[in-house]
Amino acid sequence: MSSEAIARLHEVRELLASFQGPSSVRRAAELEGAAEKVASCAADLVDVKVPRDLQLRLAFAVKALRGARKAARAHRRNPLTRPLSHARFALNTGKAGGWIHGALEILDPENTPPSPYGADEANIG
């Protein structure tokens, strides 16, 4: 298992956790290269056998990051749909963070803090 890839995933997760609320769309430039970084980590971790859905989790994170960038572009281009772009951006950054957090809980559980996305509360019981 590549510790460098896990460290890069931690970096992206921390960045995504810093996006609080829809108005964070103004900081979208900070996401530049994040999708590519996650895709590169997925390629580095292709040999990890357990769990089988690790690659799927990382692929969904990449898709959500690209969706966040698309929402940010729409926010800049079209003032009439900005409220919708804010919501789409927040939804996609949250989804990406959740997928990456789930992958890190499997790959590096002792160094992964509790989820800021509320997933832990849903698993109680």
Coordinates of all heavy atoms in Angstrom, one line a residue, residues 46-119:
V46 N -4.3 0.7 -6.9 CA -5.0 -0.3 -7.7 C -4.7 -1.8 -7.2 O -5.6 -2.6 -7.3 CB -4.7 -0.2 -9.2 CG1 -3.3 -0.7 -9.6 CG2 -5.8 -0.8 -10.0
D47 N -3.6 -2.0 -6.5 CA -3.3 -3.3 -6.0 C -4.0 -3.7 -4.7 O -3.9 -4.8 -4.3 CB -1.8 -3.5 -5.9 CG -1.1 -3.4 -7.2 OD1 -1.7 -3.7 -8.2 OD2 0.1 -3.0 -7.2
V48 N -4.6 -2.7 -4.1 CA -5.2 -3.0 -2.8 C -6.5 -3.8 -3.1 O -7.4 -3.5 -3.8 CB -5.7 -1.6 -2.1 CG1 -6.4 -1.9 -0.8 CG2 -4.4 -0.8 -1.8
K49 N -6.5 -5.0 -2.4 CA -7.6 -6.0 -2.7 C -8.8 -5.8 -1.8 O -9.9 -6.1 -2.2 CB -7.0 -7.4 -2.5 CG -5.9 -7.7 -3.4 CD -6.3 -7.9 -4.8 CE -5.1 -8.3 -5.7 NZ -5.1 -7.7 -6.9
V50 N -8.6 -5.3 -0.6 CA -9.7 -5.1 0.3 C -9.9 -3.7 0.6 O -8.9 -3.0 0.9 CB -9.5 -5.9 1.6 CG1 -10.6 -5.7 2.6 CG2 -9.2 -7.4 1.3
P51 N -11.1 -3.1 0.5 CA -12.3 -3.7 0.0 C -12.3 -3.6 -1.5 O -11.6 -2.8 -2.1 CB -13.4 -2.9 0.6 CG -12.8 -1.5 0.7 CD -11.3 -1.8 1.0
R52 N -13.2 -4.4 -2.1 CA -13.2 -4.4 -3.6 C -13.8 -3.0 -4.1 O -13.5 -2.7 -5.2 CB -14.2 -5.5 -4.0 CG -13.6 -6.8 -3.8 CD -14.5 -7.9 -4.4 NE -15.9 -7.6 -4.1 CZ -16.8 -8.4 -3.7 NH1 -16.4 -9.7 -3.5 NH2 -18.0 -8.1 -3.4
D53 N -14.5 -2.3 -3.3 CA -15.1 -1.1 -3.8 C -14.3 0.2 -3.6 O -14.7 1.3 -3.8 CB -16.5 -0.9 -3.1 CG -16.4 -0.6 -1.6 OD1 -15.4 -0.9 -1.0 OD2 -17.4 -0.1 -1.1
L54 N -13.0 0.0 -3.2 CA -12.1 1.1 -2.9 C -12.0 2.0 -4.2 O -12.1 3.2 -4.2 CB -10.8 0.7 -2.5 CG -9.7 1.8 -2.3 CD1 -10.2 2.7 -1.1 CD2 -8.4 1.3 -2.0
Q55 N -11.7 1.3 -5.3 CA -11.6 2.1 -6.6 C -12.9 2.8 -6.9 O -12.9 3.9 -7.5 CB -11.2 1.1 -7.7 CG -9.8 0.6 -7.6 CD -8.7 1.6 -7.6 OE1 -8.8 2.5 -8.4 NE2 -7.7 1.5 -6.7
L56 N -14.0 2.2 -6.6 CA -15.3 2.8 -6.9 C -15.5 4.0 -6.1 O -16.0 5.1 -6.5 CB -16.4 1.8 -6.7 CG -17.8 2.2 -7.1 CD1 -17.9 2.4 -8.6 CD2 -18.8 1.1 -6.7
R57 N -15.1 3.9 -4.8 CA -15.3 5.1 -3.9 C -14.4 6.3 -4.4 O -14.9 7.4 -4.4 CB -14.8 4.7 -2.5 CG -15.7 3.8 -1.7 CD -15.0 3.4 -0.4 NE -15.7 2.3 0.2 CZ -16.4 2.5 1.3 NH1 -16.4 3.7 1.9 NH2 -17.0 1.5 1.9
L58 N -13.2 6.0 -4.9 CA -12.3 7.0 -5.4 C -12.8 7.6 -6.7 O -12.7 8.8 -7.0 CB -10.9 6.5 -5.5 CG -10.3 6.2 -4.1 CD1 -8.9 5.6 -4.3 CD2 -10.2 7.4 -3.2
A59 N -13.4 6.7 -7.5 CA -14.0 7.2 -8.8 C -15.2 8.1 -8.5 O -15.3 9.1 -9.2 CB -14.4 6.0 -9.6
F60 N -16.0 7.8 -7.6 CA -17.1 8.7 -7.2 C -16.6 10.0 -6.7 O -17.2 11.0 -6.9 CB -18.1 8.0 -6.2 CG -19.0 7.0 -6.8 CD1 -19.3 5.8 -6.2 CD2 -19.6 7.2 -8.1 CE1 -20.2 4.9 -6.7 CE2 -20.4 6.3 -8.6 CZ -20.7 5.1 -8.0
A61 N -15.5 10.0 -5.9 CA -14.9 11.2 -5.4 C -14.5 12.1 -6.6 O -14.7 13.3 -6.6 CB -13.8 10.9 -4.5
V62 N -13.8 11.5 -7.5 CA -13.4 12.2 -8.7 C -14.5 12.8 -9.4 O -14.5 14.0 -9.8 CB -12.5 11.3 -9.7 CG1 -12.3 12.0 -11.0 CG2 -11.2 11.0 -9.0
K63 N -15.6 12.1 -9.6 CA -16.8 12.6 -10.3 C -17.4 13.7 -9.5 O -17.8 14.7 -10.1 CB -17.8 11.4 -10.4 CG -19.1 11.8 -11.2 CD -20.0 10.7 -11.4 CE -21.2 11.1 -12.1 NZ -22.2 10.0 -12.3
A64 N -17.5 13.6 -8.2 CA -18.0 14.7 -7.4 C -17.1 16.0 -7.5 O -17.6 17.1 -7.5 CB -18.2 14.3 -6.0
L65 N -15.8 15.8 -7.5 CA -14.9 16.9 -7.6 C -15.1 17.7 -8.9 O -15.1 18.9 -9.0 CB -13.5 16.5 -7.4 CG -13.1 16.2 -6.0 CD1 -11.7 15.4 -5.9 CD2 -13.0 17.5 -5.2
R66 N -15.3 16.9 -10.0 CA -15.5 17.5 -11.3 C -16.8 18.2 -11.3 O -17.0 19.3 -11.9 CB -15.4 16.4 -12.4 CG -14.0 16.0 -12.6 CD -13.9 14.9 -13.7 NE -12.4 14.6 -13.8 CZ -12.0 13.4 -14.2 NH1 -12.9 12.5 -14.6 NH2 -10.7 13.1 -14.3
G67 N -17.8 17.7 -10.6 CA -19.1 18.3 -10.5 C -19.0 19.6 -9.8 O -19.7 20.6 -10.1
A68 N -18.2 19.7 -8.7 CA -18.0 20.9 -8.0 C -17.3 22.0 -8.8 O -17.7 23.1 -8.8 CB -17.1 20.6 -6.7
R69 N -16.3 21.6 -9.6 CA -15.7 22.5 -10.5 C -16.7 23.1 -11.6 O -16.7 24.2 -11.9 CB -14.5 21.9 -11.2 CG -13.3 21.7 -10.3 CD -12.1 21.2 -10.8 NE -11.9 21.2 -12.2 CZ -11.1 20.3 -12.9 NH1 -10.5 19.4 -12.2 NH2 -11.0 20.4 -14.2
K70 N -17.5 22.2 -12.1 CA -18.6 22.6 -13.0 C -19.5 23.6 -12.4 O -19.9 24.6 -13.0 CB -19.3 21.4 -13.5 CG -20.4 21.7 -14.6 CD -21.0 20.4 -15.1 CE -22.1 20.7 -16.0 NZ -22.8 19.5 -16.5
A71 N -19.9 23.4 -11.2 CA -20.8 24.3 -10.5 C -20.2 25.6 -10.2 O -20.8 26.7 -10.3 CB -21.3 23.7 -9.1
A72 N -18.9 25.6 -9.9 CA -18.1 26.9 -9.7 C -18.1 27.7 -11.0 O -18.2 28.9 -11.0 CB -16.7 26.6 -9.2
R73 N -17.8 27.0 -12.1 CA -17.8 27.7 -13.4 C -19.2 28.3 -13.7 O -19.3 29.4 -14.2 CB -17.4 26.7 -14.6 CG -15.9 26.4 -14.6 CD -15.5 25.7 -15.9 NE -16.3 24.5 -16.2 CZ -16.0 23.3 -15.8 NH1 -14.9 23.1 -15.0 NH2 -16.7 22.3 -16.1
A74 N -20.3 27.6 -13.5 CA -21.6 28.1 -13.7 C -21.9 29.3 -12.8 O -22.5 30.2 -13.2 CB -22.6 27.0 -13.4
H75 N -21.3 29.2 -11.6 CA -21.5 30.3 -10.6 C -20.9 31.6 -11.2 O -21.5 32.7 -11.1 CB -20.9 30.0 -9.3 CG -20.9 31.0 -8.3 ND1 -19.9 32.0 -8.1 CD2 -21.9 31.3 -7.4 CE1 -20.2 32.8 -7.1 NE2 -21.4 32.4 -6.7
R76 N -19.7 31.5 -11.8 CA -19.1 32.7 -12.3 C -19.8 33.2 -13.6 O -19.8 34.4 -13.8 CB -17.6 32.3 -12.7 CG -16.7 32.2 -11.4 CD -15.2 32.1 -11.8 NE -14.9 31.0 -12.7 CZ -14.6 29.8 -12.4 NH1 -14.6 29.5 -11.1 NH2 -14.4 28.9 -13.2
R77 N -20.3 32.3 -14.4 CA -20.8 32.7 -15.7 C -22.2 33.2 -15.6 O -22.6 34.1 -16.4 CB -20.8 31.5 -16.7 CG -19.5 31.2 -17.3 CD -19.7 30.2 -18.5 NE -20.6 29.1 -18.2 CZ -20.2 27.9 -17.9 NH1 -18.9 27.6 -17.8 NH2 -21.0 26.9 -17.6
N78 N -23.1 32.7 -14.8 CA -24.5 33.0 -14.8 C -25.0 33.4 -13.5 O -25.3 32.6 -12.6 CB -25.3 31.7 -15.3 CG -26.7 32.1 -15.7 OD1 -27.2 33.2 -15.4 ND2 -27.4 31.1 -16.3
P79 N -25.1 34.8 -13.3 CA -25.6 35.3 -12.0 C -27.0 34.9 -11.6 O -27.3 34.8 -10.4 CB -25.5 36.8 -12.2 CG -24.8 37.1 -13.4 CD -24.8 35.8 -14.2
L80 N -27.8 34.6 -12.6 CA -29.2 34.2 -12.3 C -29.3 32.8 -11.6 O -30.3 32.6 -10.8 CB -30.1 34.2 -13.6 CG -30.3 35.6 -14.2 CD1 -31.0 35.4 -15.5 CD2 -31.0 36.5 -13.3
T81 N -28.4 32.0 -11.9 CA -28.5 30.6 -11.3 C -27.5 30.4 -10.1 O -27.2 29.3 -9.7 CB -28.2 29.5 -12.3 OG1 -26.9 29.7 -12.9 CG2 -29.3 29.6 -13.4
R82 N -27.0 31.5 -9.6 CA -26.0 31.4 -8.5 C -26.5 30.7 -7.3 O -25.7 29.8 -6.7 CB -25.4 32.8 -8.1 CG -24.4 33.2 -9.1 CD -23.6 34.4 -8.7 NE -22.7 34.7 -9.8 CZ -22.2 35.9 -10.0 NH1 -22.5 36.9 -9.3 NH2 -21.3 36.1 -11.0
P83 N -27.7 30.9 -6.8 CA -28.1 30.1 -5.7 C -28.1 28.6 -5.9 O -27.7 27.8 -5.1 CB -29.6 30.6 -5.4 CG -29.6 32.0 -6.0 CD -28.7 31.9 -7.2
L84 N -28.5 28.2 -7.1 CA -28.4 26.8 -7.5 C -27.0 26.3 -7.5 O -26.6 25.2 -7.1 CB -29.1 26.5 -8.8 CG -29.2 25.1 -9.3 CD1 -29.9 24.2 -8.2 CD2 -29.9 25.0 -10.6
S85 N -26.1 27.1 -8.1 CA -24.7 26.8 -8.2 C -24.0 26.6 -6.8 O -23.2 25.7 -6.6 CB -23.9 27.8 -9.0 OG -24.4 27.9 -10.3
H86 N -24.4 27.5 -5.9 CA -23.9 27.4 -4.5 C -24.3 26.0 -3.9 O -23.5 25.3 -3.3 CB -24.6 28.4 -3.6 CG -24.0 29.8 -3.8 ND1 -23.3 30.4 -2.7 CD2 -24.0 30.7 -4.8 CE1 -22.9 31.6 -3.2 NE2 -23.3 31.8 -4.4
A87 N -25.6 25.6 -4.1 CA -26.0 24.3 -3.6 C -25.3 23.2 -4.2 O -24.9 22.2 -3.6 CB -27.5 24.2 -3.7
R88 N -25.2 23.2 -5.6 CA -24.5 22.1 -6.3 C -23.1 22.0 -5.9 O -22.5 20.9 -5.7 CB -24.6 22.4 -7.8 CG -26.0 22.1 -8.3 CD -26.1 22.3 -9.8 NE -25.0 21.8 -10.6 CZ -24.4 22.5 -11.6 NH1 -24.9 23.6 -12.0 NH2 -23.4 22.0 -12.3
F89 N -22.4 23.1 -5.7 CA -21.0 23.1 -5.2 C -20.9 22.5 -3.8 O -20.1 21.6 -3.6 CB -20.4 24.5 -5.2 CG -19.0 24.6 -4.8 CD1 -18.0 24.3 -5.8 CD2 -18.6 24.9 -3.5 CE1 -16.7 24.4 -5.4 CE2 -17.3 24.9 -3.2 CZ -16.3 24.7 -4.1
A90 N -21.7 22.9 -2.9 CA -21.7 22.4 -1.5 C -22.0 20.9 -1.6 O -21.4 20.1 -0.9 CB -22.7 23.1 -0.6
L91 N -23.0 20.5 -2.3 CA -23.4 19.1 -2.4 C -22.2 18.2 -3.0 O -21.8 17.2 -2.4 CB -24.6 18.9 -3.3 CG -25.0 17.4 -3.6 CD1 -25.5 16.8 -2.4 CD2 -26.0 17.4 -4.7
N92 N -21.6 18.7 -4.0 CA -20.5 17.9 -4.6 C -19.2 17.9 -3.8 O -18.5 16.9 -3.7 CB -20.2 18.4 -6.0 CG -21.2 17.9 -7.0 OD1 -21.3 16.7 -7.2 ND2 -21.9 18.8 -7.7
T93 N -18.9 19.0 -3.1 CA -17.7 18.9 -2.3 C -18.0 18.0 -1.1 O -17.1 17.3 -0.6 CB -17.3 20.3 -1.8 OG1 -18.4 21.0 -1.2 CG2 -16.7 21.2 -2.9
G94 N -19.2 18.1 -0.5 CA -19.5 17.1 0.6 C -19.5 15.7 0.1 O -19.0 14.8 0.9
K95 N -20.0 15.4 -1.1 CA -20.0 14.0 -1.5 C -18.5 13.6 -1.7 O -18.2 12.4 -1.3 CB -20.7 13.9 -2.9 CG -22.2 14.0 -2.7 CD -23.0 13.6 -4.0 CE -22.5 14.1 -5.3 NZ -23.3 13.8 -6.4
A96 N -17.7 14.4 -2.4 CA -16.3 14.0 -2.6 C -15.6 13.8 -1.3 O -14.9 12.8 -1.1 CB -15.6 15.1 -3.4
G97 N -15.8 14.7 -0.3 CA -15.2 14.5 1.0 C -15.7 13.2 1.7 O -14.9 12.5 2.3
G98 N -16.9 12.9 1.6 CA -17.4 11.7 2.2 C -16.9 10.4 1.5 O -16.5 9.5 2.2
W99 N -16.8 10.4 0.2 CA -16.2 9.2 -0.5 C -14.7 9.1 -0.1 O -14.2 8.0 0.2 CB -16.3 9.4 -2.0 CG -17.7 9.1 -2.5 CD1 -18.5 10.0 -3.1 CD2 -18.4 7.9 -2.4 NE1 -19.7 9.4 -3.4 CE2 -19.7 8.1 -3.0 CE3 -18.1 6.6 -1.9 CZ2 -20.6 7.1 -3.1 CZ3 -19.1 5.6 -2.0 CH2 -20.3 5.9 -2.6
I100 N -14.0 10.2 -0.1 CA -12.5 10.1 0.3 C -12.4 9.7 1.8 O -11.5 8.9 2.1 CB -11.8 11.4 0.0 CG1 -11.8 11.6 -1.5 CG2 -10.4 11.4 0.6 CD1 -11.3 13.0 -1.9
H101 N -13.2 10.2 2.6 CA -13.2 9.9 4.0 C -13.4 8.4 4.2 O -12.7 7.7 5.0 CB -14.1 10.7 4.9 CG -14.0 10.5 6.3 ND1 -14.6 9.6 7.0 CD2 -13.2 11.2 7.2 CE1 -14.2 9.6 8.3 NE2 -13.4 10.6 8.4
G102 N -14.4 7.9 3.5 CA -14.7 6.4 3.6 C -13.6 5.6 3.2 O -13.3 4.5 3.8
A103 N -12.9 6.0 2.1 CA -11.7 5.3 1.6 C -10.6 5.3 2.6 O -9.9 4.3 2.9 CB -11.3 5.8 0.3
L104 N -10.4 6.5 3.2 CA -9.3 6.6 4.2 C -9.6 5.8 5.5 O -8.7 5.3 6.2 CB -9.1 8.1 4.6 CG -8.3 8.9 3.5 CD1 -8.4 10.4 3.8 CD2 -6.9 8.4 3.3
E105 N -10.9 5.7 5.9 CA -11.2 4.9 7.1 C -10.8 3.4 6.9 O -10.5 2.8 7.8 CB -12.7 5.0 7.4 CG -13.1 6.3 8.0 CD -14.6 6.3 8.3 OE1 -15.4 5.7 7.6 OE2 -15.0 6.9 9.3
I106 N -10.8 3.0 5.6 CA -10.4 1.6 5.3 C -8.9 1.5 5.2 O -8.3 0.6 5.7 CB -11.1 1.2 4.0 CG1 -12.6 1.1 4.2 CG2 -10.5 -0.2 3.5 CD1 -13.4 1.0 3.0
L107 N -8.3 2.5 4.5 CA -6.9 2.4 4.2 C -6.0 2.8 5.4 O -4.9 2.3 5.6 CB -6.5 3.4 3.1 CG -7.1 3.0 1.7 CD1 -6.9 4.1 0.7 CD2 -6.4 1.7 1.2
D108 N -6.5 3.8 6.2 CA -5.6 4.4 7.3 C -6.5 4.7 8.5 O -6.6 5.9 8.8 CB -4.9 5.6 6.7 CG -3.8 6.1 7.6 OD1 -3.3 5.4 8.5 OD2 -3.5 7.3 7.5
P109 N -7.2 3.8 9.1 CA -8.2 4.1 10.1 C -7.6 4.8 11.4 O -8.2 5.6 11.9 CB -8.8 2.7 10.5 CG -7.8 1.7 10.1 CD -7.1 2.3 8.9
E110 N -6.3 4.5 11.7 CA -5.8 5.1 12.9 C -5.4 6.6 12.8 O -5.3 7.3 13.7 CB -4.6 4.3 13.5 CG -3.4 4.2 12.5 CD -3.6 3.0 11.5 OE1 -4.5 2.2 11.7 OE2 -2.8 3.0 10.6
N111 N -5.3 7.0 11.5 CA -4.9 8.4 11.3 C -6.1 9.2 10.6 O -5.8 10.3 10.2 CB -3.7 8.5 10.4 CG -2.4 8.0 11.0 OD1 -2.2 8.3 12.2 ND2 -1.7 7.2 10.3
T112 N -7.2 8.6 10.6 CA -8.4 9.3 10.0 C -9.3 9.8 11.1 O -9.8 9.0 11.8 CB -9.1 8.3 9.0 OG1 -8.2 7.9 8.0 CG2 -10.3 9.0 8.3
P113 N -9.5 11.1 11.2 CA -10.4 11.6 12.3 C -11.9 11.3 11.9 O -12.2 10.9 10.8 CB -10.2 13.1 12.2 CG -9.7 13.4 10.8 CD -8.9 12.1 10.4
P114 N -12.7 11.5 12.9 CA -14.2 11.2 12.6 C -14.6 12.1 11.5 O -14.1 13.2 11.2 CB -14.9 11.6 13.9 CG -13.8 11.6 15.0 CD -12.5 11.9 14.3
S115 N -15.6 11.6 10.8 CA -16.2 12.3 9.6 C -16.8 13.6 9.9 O -17.7 13.7 10.8 CB -17.2 11.4 8.9 OG -17.7 12.1 7.8
P116 N -16.4 14.7 9.2 CA -17.1 16.0 9.4 C -18.4 16.0 8.6 O -19.1 17.0 8.7 CB -16.1 17.0 8.9 CG -15.4 16.2 7.8 CD -15.3 14.8 8.4
Y117 N -18.7 14.9 7.9 CA -19.9 14.9 7.0 C -21.1 14.2 7.6 O -22.1 14.1 7.0 CB -19.5 14.2 5.7 CG -18.3 14.9 5.1 CD1 -17.0 14.3 5.2 CD2 -18.4 16.1 4.4 CE1 -15.9 14.9 4.6 CE2 -17.3 16.7 3.9 CZ -16.1 16.1 4.0 OH -15.0 16.7 3.5
G118 N -21.0 13.8 8.9 CA -22.1 13.2 9.5 C -22.4 11.8 9.3 O -23.4 11.2 9.7
A119 N -21.5 11.1 8.5 CA -21.7 9.7 8.2 C -21.7 8.8 9.4 O -22.3 7.8 9.5 CB -20.7 9.2 7.1

